[in-house]
Every structure is written in C-alpha cells, then in structure tokens.
Amino acid sequence: MFIVMLGAPGSGKGTVAKLLKDILGVEHISTGDMFRETLAQGTELGKELESYMSRGALVPDEIVIRIIEEKLNNLNSDNVVLDGFPRTVEQAKFLSKMLAGRGEKIDLVLHLDLPDEEIIYRTVKRRICVNKGCEAIYNLEFTPPKVEGKCDKCGSDLMQRKDDNAETITTRLETYHVNADPIIKYFEQVNLLKSVKLSIYKNITRQDVENWIKEWKNK
Ligand code: AMP
C-alpha cells in the first residue's frame, strides 16, 4: 500500500503519518526529517539542503528526487506513507512513473485542508521530542506536554524546529500554495485524492484517521 500525504507545513501531516504507521503498519518516510538528519551531519549535501530549508524554500527537484529514489530503492517494504513528498508536479510525476516501473501504484493521496491563519498559529506553537525513536509532536496550546519542555512519552527534551517561526512559515506557505494547487488537481484527475477539512480547534485523533481510512475503503 502506498499513501501520499498532502497539506501545508504544519497542517498535521506528520501526526497523521505516525497514526497511519500505527494503524496500518506502513513505513513512515518524511523528506523533511530525512533532510534534517542529513543537515545535522554537516556534510556538503547537508549544507546545500540548509541553504534552502533555512529560508523556507523548496529543495530543487533533482536533489529531492535523487534522495527519495535511493531511499525507496533500499526500502524492504511495499507499505509506505510518504510525508512531505511529492511537493511539486514534477515530483508527483516522478513518483507515479517510478512506482509504475516496479509494478506498483499510489493507492491514496490524503490531503489535509486547513486555513492559512490557523497554520501559522499552529506552526509557531509546535514542539517536537528530540528523541529520534520517539519524535512525538506537541502543540503548546492544544496538546501541551504535562511537564513544560518534556515529552510525555519518553521524558526527553522538546525542541522547536528552526524553520517554525512566523517569518519562515509565511514563505513556506506561499511556496506551498504555488505548488499545491497543480498537485491537488493532478491527483484529483487520476481519482486518488481524498481531502479532509480540519480545524486547529480540534485535535486529529486516531479515530479520525481510522474513519478516513474506512471512508476511503468504502468509496
Ligand atoms: P517539512 O518537514 O516537510 O516541513 O520540510 C522542511 C523543509 O524541507 C521544507 O520547507 C523544504 O525546504 C524541504 N523539503 C522537504 N520535503 C521537500 C520536497 N519534497 N521538495 C522540496 N523540498 C522539500
């Protein structure tokens, strides 16, 4: 099973992808997480990625495609949820073509639809567990940790992503809108899109995700 998550930065893709992993046993691949890991290694590639990510710009397609192609080729699973890829029509076309070449296909494109004002609010309040094995996601307003600055699940410190500030998120949102409409149309045309309307005033729960899967399967 191949699931693609679409949605603005901070719309909850990571949260939903983690729940999908739990519910369906799919492998969670986040290009943002992969890039942040590369960046932390301080390699030339890491520095190049940082030059785009720090200003909220997209990493060029050729670099992203090279990295994701290698990742997918080395994966021992056909059950995947992709979070943060594709982000351009070029990337979407590459993915469809690559999967077709392996006799596979995208099964579902889940689009999280949230108004921009809510996105900005949600993103600046986002905190993430530093523990790589956990990476639980909190929102200081809606899902705060029980102890300030500490993860409820593993007790590790919580951190704020460098690019989760009001200035960068505005650029990230602009970039998202330029690219998202054509991708959404592309997946709509091939009848793969399921859009869900969200509000920050209601947390995404496991039950929500189970319901979306049920609706999709009964379609
Ligand atoms: P994310 O964690 O998904 O919000 O991604 C963080 C940053 O990584 C984005 O703002 C981009 O700079 C970069 N990035 C992640 N995925 C992609 C992609 N598929 N294409 C281009 N840039 C990406």
Side-chain angles (χ1 to χ4, degrees):
M1 175 181 294
F2 226 96
I3 301 175
V4 165
M5 300 289 318
L6 290 186
S11 58
K13 296 191 296 296
T15 302
V16 173
K18 285 188 172 74
L19 286 164
L20 285 169
K21 178 180 177 178
D22 213 36
I23 296 165
L24 299 171
V26 291
E27 194 87 29
H28 173 199
I29 297 181
S30 152
T31 40
D33 287 349
M34 282 167 63
F35 295 171
R36 277 182 288 279
E37 272 166 37
T38 309
L39 203 141
Q41 289 161 6
T43 56
E44 280 310 308
L45 176 60
K47 283 181 199 148
E48 192 174 359
L49 293 175
E50 186 168 27
S51 69
Y52 299 102
M53 291 169 75
S54 60
R55 56 190 163 90
L58 285 186
V59 175
D61 284 339
E62 57 182 77
I63 302 178
V64 181
I65 286 174
R66 183 161 38 88
I67 296 175
I68 199 85
E69 185 171 26
E70 195 186 334
K71 178 80 180 175
L72 292 176
N73 278 336
N74 291 322
L75 204 68
N76 289 326
S77 172
D78 295 335
N79 294 313
V80 174
V81 55
L82 278 180
D83 156 14
F85 181 92
R87 260 182 161 97
T88 63
V89 172
E90 178 89 7
Q91 294 179 15
K93 286 185 174 161
F94 160 80
L95 181 64
S96 302
K97 203 169 153 199
M98 181 191 178
L99 291 178
R102 301 185 345 180
E104 294 174 86
K105 60 176 179 49
I106 299 167
D107 295 285
L108 166 68
V109 178
L110 189 56
H111 168 221
L112 307 181
D113 191 4
L114 192 66
D116 281 6
E117 316 79 74
E118 300 194 7
I119 292 275
I120 294 174
Y121 193 62
R122 185 148 157 162
T123 312
V124 293
K125 301 253 173 187
R126 172 162 65 182
R127 297 293 181 275
I128 300 168
C129 174
V130 295
N131 174 0
K132 286 283 160 232
C134 176
E135 289 185 331
I137 304 169
Y138 297 85
N139 181 287
L140 295 185
E141 187 92 9
F142 304 104
T143 50
K146 293 193 181 82
V147 177
E148 198 184 325
K150 298 284 174 197
C151 177
D152 292 352
K153 291 186 183 155
C154 71
S156 302
D157 288 341
L158 300 183
M159 59 121 180
Q160 181 172 24
R161 269 174 50 175
K162 254 190 185 168
D163 57 355
D164 275 351
N165 59 69
E167 204 177 289
T168 310
I169 189 63
T170 310
T171 314
R172 285 162 68 200
L173 269 177
E174 281 165 12
T175 309
Y176 171 74
H177 285 300
V178 169
N179 292 289
D181 288 354
I183 301 189
I184 289 169
K185 274 203 193 97
Y186 172 77
F187 284 125
E188 228 168 14
Q189 275 164 5
V190 288
N191 206 19
L192 286 174
L193 192 79
K194 176 171 178 58
S195 259
V196 288
K197 282 218 179 294
L198 300 175
S199 159
I200 41 163
Y201 303 107
K202 187 191 167 298
N203 289 327
I204 299 168
T205 63
R206 186 187 170 98
Q207 189 61 56
D208 290 329
V209 178
E210 283 174 349
N211 290 344
W212 300 336
I213 296 169
K214 234 182 254 162
E215 286 164 16
W216 163 62
K217 284 190 172 161
N218 293 334
K219 197 179 76 164

